[in-house]
Each structure stands twice: as C-alpha cells, then as structure tokens.
Amino acid sequence: MVDVSSTNSEIVKRLKNDPSLAWTLPSGRFEEIVAEILNLQGYDVTLTRASKDEGFDIYAARKEGLGQFLYLVECKRFVPPNKVGVEVAHCMACCSPVVPLRGQS
C-alpha cells in the first residue's frame, strides 16, 4: 500500500491558490483530494472502491452533538459551464432517508 496523504496534502495547498487545477486531476485522484479535505475537517473518511459511477465515492462519518452521522459523498466534477444534471440531484434526494421527496411530508 502506498501512502498518498503527503502528496494529496500538497495538491490541496495548490488547489487553494488555483482551484482550476481540479479540472486537470484524474477522477480517482480528485476523489482522494475530496476525502483529504473532509479528513482535514474532522471526518472519519473511507474511500469506496472504484465502480464506474455505480455508487457513492466516499463515506464520511463524524460524531456531533446529537450523535454520529454518516454522509454519503458522490464526487462530481463537471467542466464549466456544464452543471451537475438533475438526475444526480434526484438520485441523491431519493437515496437520502432524511430528505423528504417532493410531495411527501
């Protein structure tokens, strides 16, 4: 196993100065960087195995005042001016047990 945390930390520093560098990263490295940023923010992070977009990319857990929360992260990096499609937003809303679906209370 190769430790990439120091390399990713350097990339995070560079991205702070030039966010457009994110568009040049391979998708796997982009997911590692997102995981690194979440880790730096205090999350316990697990990268999932590559699945060609058939699932979530990162599990991020953190203990907070009301208990421990698990966040399911799907990394999307669409090149401007393209936006994340509505299908992705619908999928995320449907997969989340805490987000009510439209028309439901």
Side-chain angles (χ1 to χ4, degrees), residues 8-49:
N8 287 345
S9 295
E10 181 62 30
I11 293 172
V12 168
K13 288 178 189 174
R14 291 182 183 192
L15 285 170
K16 284 182 183 179
N17 293 326
D18 185 4
S20 68
L21 291 176
W23 309 119
T24 66
L25 296 171
S27 59
R29 180 52 59 99
F30 179 72
E31 292 170 9
E32 291 175 6
I33 298 303
V34 172
E36 179 73 18
I37 292 168
L38 289 168
N39 188 10
L40 291 170
Q41 293 180 350
Y43 290 88
D44 182 22
V45 177
T46 302
L47 275 164
T48 63
R49 62 185 174 91

Side-chain angles (χ1 to χ4, degrees), residues 88-101:
V88 173
H90 282 189
C91 177
M92 295 299 290
C94 293
C95 294
S96 173
V98 295
V99 178
L101 299 176

Side-chain angles (χ1 to χ4, degrees), residues 44 60-71:
D44 182 22
R62 183 162 68 178
K63 193 172 256 188
E64 298 182 13
L66 296 175
Q68 186 161 349
F69 293 87
L70 175 65
Y71 299 90

